[in-house]
Amino acid sequence: MRRIAWVLAIIMSVTLIMTGCGKKDSASVVKDLNDVADKLESKAGAYQGEGTMTLYTGEQPQEYKVEVWYKNPSYYRISLASVQKNVTQIVLRNDEGVFVLTPSLGKSFRFQSDWPENQGQVYLYQTLIKGIVADNNRQFVADKDSYVFDVAANYQSRALVRQKIWLDKKTYAPKQVQVSDSEAKVVVDVKFSKFAFNPEFSADSFDMKKNMASQGTSENTVAQVDENGNPLPAAENQEGTQTQANADLGDFGVIEPGYTPEGVTLKGSNKIESSDDHAVLLRYDGTYQYTILESRPLDQAVSLAPGTLIDLGFTAGLLTEDEQQTLTWMSGDGVQYRIISANLPLSEMMEIAASTQDQTGK
């Protein structure tokens, strides 16, 4: 009986050892993630992902279809298609600079920025890896198919405190990201439906004109055609799009953000009657003093001053700083916003910007 007991004990010990050999702990996964990051920085480094992002920053959740393309050394293309508004915007980086494109309106904004260097975006794989590696107090569990990390958030908004990241056990591809505030409430939720390393991109995948004119960008992108249904040349295409946008959009009324900082009230709003771009001015006073300028620029292509690109979730904005701080962004329906203030914190600016998404003109 003693021999049988010893034999069973040995068998159980060997079984436990063999089972344990197939498991990875937090340190070994982090080491592997560093190797994956190194491969992305190599000459052939690239990835392509698709999914759905839901923002819980306004009165109602806002859902976006997300496409993310990356190619070493610094080519990026992020497509954000609003499910509610049926509008697509593209954030693009290539050798010419950083652009925010609205193909359906023929609108392009060019930024002078080093984005996304040192700026986290929840849909960028590099940002997720950096967040995991940098947090020495990371929490780690392994479920059936995923490695799950709970780490500090590293985004521009101070309201985002923690993030939970699901990675595929076999490939380390991202499966889901949830970013929470100080009260553990999920503010951003990204679910990837597809993610592939080392995809093959065409030579013009990150070309600005190609992305402005391509019907393949989104089902909402409008490419101009002649009376026979043939695509117009690029110059005619863009000119026609601009004429269409100017003719159809018109006055948008007065759009009041859904969020106002505590201790602040709207002191007044007025339309600038002499402007051709339907400009509106809103003035706020109280704990902070700031002005919001809304307009529909007639220019098709706009180059903004050097500054910091700000991830607003639904699009990208530009932060410029002088005597006053200005946050500028373009909505999918062609309205340009500027928040101008000497004392309003960036986190408040970002929350105000997010709250304009589910508002309509009055």
Side-chain angles (χ1 to χ4, degrees), residues 143-164:
D143 61 23
K144 182 179 179 182
D145 302 311
S146 307
Y147 294 121
V148 186
F149 286 92
D150 190 328
V151 297
N154 54 344
Y155 302 105
Q156 291 164 323
S157 174
R158 294 179 181 177
L160 304 178
V161 177
R162 302 289 299 179
Q163 57 182 340
K164 196 171 183 180

Side-chain angles (χ1 to χ4, degrees), residues 55-327:
L55 304 180
Y56 299 93
T57 51
E59 296 178 1
Q60 298 293 329
Q62 298 290 313
E63 188 174 311
Y64 297 83
K65 294 179 181 178
V66 181
E67 292 181 4
V68 185
W69 298 359
Y70 162 77
K71 182 180 179 181
N72 188 64
S74 56
Y75 294 167
Y76 292 88
R77 177 190 178 277
I78 293 93
S79 171
L80 299 168
S82 171
V83 174
Q84 283 83 0
K85 293 190 174 183
N86 202 32
V87 173
T88 297
Q89 288 191 303
I90 298 171
V91 182
L92 186 73
R93 178 173 176 176
N94 57 28
D95 292 334
E96 298 174 356
V98 181
F99 300 86
V100 175
L101 312 176
T102 310
S104 61
L105 302 180
K107 297 277 188 179
S108 66
F109 274 60
R110 182 179 180 182
F111 298 82
Q112 296 183 41
S113 172
D114 62 355
W115 177 88
E117 302 300 327
N118 302 318
Q119 299 170 43
Q121 271 76 34
V122 66
Y123 37 71
L124 294 184
Y125 185 62
Q126 293 94 324
T127 298
L128 303 181
I129 291 180
K130 288 178 181 177
I132 293 171
V133 173
D135 190 351
N136 292 324
N137 296 315
R138 69 184 77 90
Q139 299 176 24
F140 170 83
V141 295
D143 61 23
K144 182 179 179 182
D145 302 311
S146 307
Y147 294 121
V148 186
F149 286 92
D150 190 328
V151 297
N154 54 344
Y155 302 105
Q156 291 164 323
S157 174
R158 294 179 181 177
L160 304 178
V161 177
R162 302 289 299 179
Q163 57 182 340
K164 196 171 183 180
I165 303 167
W166 285 259
L167 302 177
D168 184 88
K169 272 189 173 181
K170 295 180 180 179
T171 65
Y172 293 124
K175 299 174 69 175
Q176 185 176 0
V177 186
Q178 289 183 340
V179 189
S180 305
D181 62 15
S182 58
E183 298 178 351
K185 177 185 175 182
V186 175
V187 180
V188 184
D189 185 9
V190 179
K191 295 179 180 178
F192 289 92
S193 56
K194 297 180 182 178
F195 196 93
F197 293 102
N198 304 318
E200 291 292 331
F201 292 116
S202 63
D204 56 1
S205 292
F206 300 90
D207 180 75
M208 192 274 281
K209 292 182 179 179
K210 173 70 173 179
N211 279 279
M212 283 290 286
S214 174
Q215 292 184 355
T217 298
S218 164
E219 62 184 7
N220 309 316
T221 300
V222 178
Q224 298 299 309
V225 297
D226 61 21
E227 62 273 14
N228 298 317
N230 298 314
L232 291 172
E236 294 180 47
N237 188 337
Q238 294 177 6
E239 182 179 353
T241 303
Q242 180 62 37
T243 301
Q244 183 74 17
N246 291 343
D248 291 350
L249 295 178
D251 192 352
F252 54 87
V254 179
I255 301 174
E256 294 184 16
Y259 169 78
T260 303
E262 185 176 352
V264 174
T265 57
L266 174 63
K267 290 301 181 182
S269 63
N270 63 285
K271 293 186 177 182
I272 304 174
E273 300 297 340
S274 60
S275 66
D276 294 329
D277 55 4
H278 310 286
V280 177
L281 203 61
L282 296 86
R283 296 183 180 88
Y284 293 81
D285 200 358
T287 307
Y288 307 111
Q289 298 78 45
Y290 60 93
T291 299
I292 301 178
L293 178 62
E294 304 170 351
S295 62
R296 266 205 175 111
L298 300 181
D299 294 333
Q300 179 182 359
V302 177
S303 291
L304 299 179
T308 303
L309 202 69
I310 303 297
D311 177 27
L312 299 176
F314 58 93
T315 190
L318 183 75
L319 182 71
T320 54
E321 299 180 81
D322 198 352
E323 293 182 0
Q324 298 191 96
Q325 194 168 239
T326 302
L327 178 63

